[in-house]
Amino acid sequence: MTIEKKLLLVTFPVDLGNRTNEKRLISIFENYLDLRVHQFIPNQAQRGVPTTKFAYASVIARRFLGSYNLCREVLRAYQEGRKVLFHGISPALFAYPVTRKQSSYIVTDWTKKLYEPFLNASLSPSWLTATHREVMSAQRYVFGLTDAVIEGIHQDYQIPKSKLRKARLPFCPDLDLFIPSPERYDREIRLLFVGGDFQRKGGDVLLRWFKQLDNPNVKLTIVTKQAVESHPNLTVKTSVDYGQTEHINLFGSHDIFVLPTTLEGYPSVIGEAGCAGLAILTTKNALGAPEIIVNGENGYICSSQEDLIQQLEALIQNKPMIESMKRKSRLMMEEKFAEDLVLGDFINCMFGNQA
């Protein structure tokens, strides 16, 4: 007899990336499981990084107040025979007092210590590192969405590999959402950059290069919240919502997605570009890029921003290569992020013993 699979998904929608991945996780689970979703601290008055001690204290206070409702929901889930999947370490931390190891899991693409080697700075004091280690140790498994985060958790938090599992970010909903454009035979090459944090994601580097480019066939679209100076062949969009018609058409109408980032955990926008059938250029500082890009096949993971610009200059001279990379991007996403594969990563670990 098959036992009904029940899951409580605890999300933490503190920024655009988390909110988008929340939608993806819900989409992949809702048709397969008896799913309930609990948002930890939804509709916060202030999003983003707090800039004053008072603001920081206010954020922490809201989280502690929200932990009561969270713990109550988790206990209710256990009583109903549900597994609990925390999207991120933070909500798992605030549910720690009621965690049951055999029924609790974390999925994450980021930790506090992940960026420390790149920034040459300490982002997680020893007490916080120890706290996060204890929280992760209290779970049945921790799912990492990239090899980089799995290795980081193992090395930085001394979590044994036996407690770590690889999972795929559910890009399968995006495979239905984005429709690749037909192959074009004109000479125009359309570049796309998406990033609210313009400088950190390298938008300034790309824009500086584009302004010096003497090629009327190359068009650039920038999606960002930052003010960008106008320029011929440049289109700037300041607000594009995930999943809306404009968002879908934007990806489908371009050729190369360019992200010269200085630091990213798992830039899911790269996966969106792959689903839409774009060639993709980014840097090795996009730590999740190897999950999407195979060098020379559907794009390039470059050693630096300078290397990326050189690769971009060569690629825009080779339209047949661009079209080949676009086809391979879509094909690779279909093969690697098919629904049954994504579901299998989670379901086999969480419900594998049910029969």
Side-chain angles (χ1 to χ4, degrees), residues 23-317:
K23 294 177 182 178
R24 291 191 178 108
L25 287 167
I26 292 171
S27 178
I28 191 66
F29 288 137
E30 63 183 354
N31 293 325
Y32 191 82
L33 304 172
D34 177 349
L35 178 68
R36 189 162 71 241
V37 180
H38 177 75
Q39 286 188 334
F40 177 56
I41 316 296
N43 302 320
Q44 296 186 65
Q46 177 181 340
R47 297 193 183 275
V49 178
T51 56
T52 67
K53 290 183 178 180
F54 176 80
Y56 183 77
S58 177
V59 167
I60 296 300
R62 286 199 301 273
R63 292 182 185 179
F64 272 107
L65 289 172
S67 67
Y68 172 78
N69 288 331
L70 173 59
C71 289
R72 188 173 60 180
E73 282 297 313
V74 169
L75 286 173
R76 176 187 168 199
Y78 291 148
Q79 292 169 357
E80 295 174 349
R82 294 180 186 272
K83 305 292 187 179
V84 179
L85 179 62
F86 296 101
H87 184 203
I89 298 172
S90 290
L93 167 62
F94 286 92
Y96 175 76
V98 298
T99 297
R100 295 180 186 173
K101 180 176 290 189
Q102 294 305 313
S103 299
S104 181
Y105 307 81
I106 292 173
V107 56
T108 187
D109 66 342
W110 182 82
T111 71
K112 276 281 188 178
K113 295 187 73 66
L114 188 64
Y115 295 160
E116 288 186 348
F118 296 88
L119 298 176
N120 194 27
S122 176
L123 302 179
S124 178
S126 57
W127 66 267
L128 185 58
T129 299
T131 300
H132 285 173
R133 180 188 306 121
E134 181 63 27
V135 170
M136 286 187 278
S137 297
Q139 315 301 316
R140 179 69 179 90
Y141 291 119
V142 177
F143 294 101
L145 295 177
T146 68
D147 290 332
V149 76
I150 286 179
E151 189 60 31
I153 291 173
H154 176 61
Q155 296 292 336
D156 296 332
Y157 297 91
Q158 292 81 56
I159 302 298
K161 288 288 182 71
S162 60
K163 189 177 280 290
L164 300 175
R165 291 292 184 269
K166 181 71 176 292
R168 306 162 208 247
L169 190 64
F171 285 119
C172 33
D174 296 50
L175 287 168
D176 295 330
L177 188 67
F178 294 103
I179 307 299
S181 61
E183 184 170 344
R184 297 199 335 270
Y185 299 96
D186 55 53
R187 300 178 62 184
E188 190 169 284
I189 297 172
R190 303 169 187 172
L191 313 179
L192 176 64
F193 168 90
V194 179
D197 196 342
F198 194 66
Q199 276 75 27
R200 178 172 64 81
K201 294 178 183 289
D204 55 336
V205 173
L206 178 62
L207 183 59
R208 187 161 55 248
W209 166 81
F210 182 74
K211 287 182 175 180
Q212 297 171 356
L213 184 68
D214 185 20
N215 187 338
N217 292 318
V218 179
K219 316 292 185 182
L220 172 62
T221 300
I222 288 177
V223 181
T224 186
K225 295 181 179 179
Q226 179 170 318
V228 176
E229 182 181 353
S230 62
H231 189 270
N233 293 329
L234 171 66
T235 300
V236 179
K237 295 183 178 294
T238 57
S239 179
V240 178
D241 294 328
Y242 172 83
Q244 299 302 307
T245 301
E246 184 180 17
H247 181 221
I248 298 167
N249 292 341
L250 185 70
F251 276 83
S253 61
H254 285 76
D255 302 304
I256 307 174
F257 182 80
V258 189
L259 189 71
T261 183
T262 60
L263 199 60
E264 295 288 335
Y266 199 147
S268 61
V269 69
I270 288 180
E272 295 171 17
C275 290
L278 274 66
I280 309 166
L281 270 70
T282 190
T283 69
K284 65 179 182 180
N285 296 326
L287 303 182
E291 312 297 327
I292 306 296
I293 302 170
V294 175
N295 269 329
E297 293 291 320
N298 67 325
Y300 296 101
I301 302 172
C302 304
S303 60
S304 64
Q305 291 178 323
E306 293 75 18
D307 180 32
L308 182 146
I309 293 300
Q310 291 178 9
Q311 289 283 10
L312 181 57
E313 288 179 342
L315 189 57
I316 62 175
Q317 303 301 321

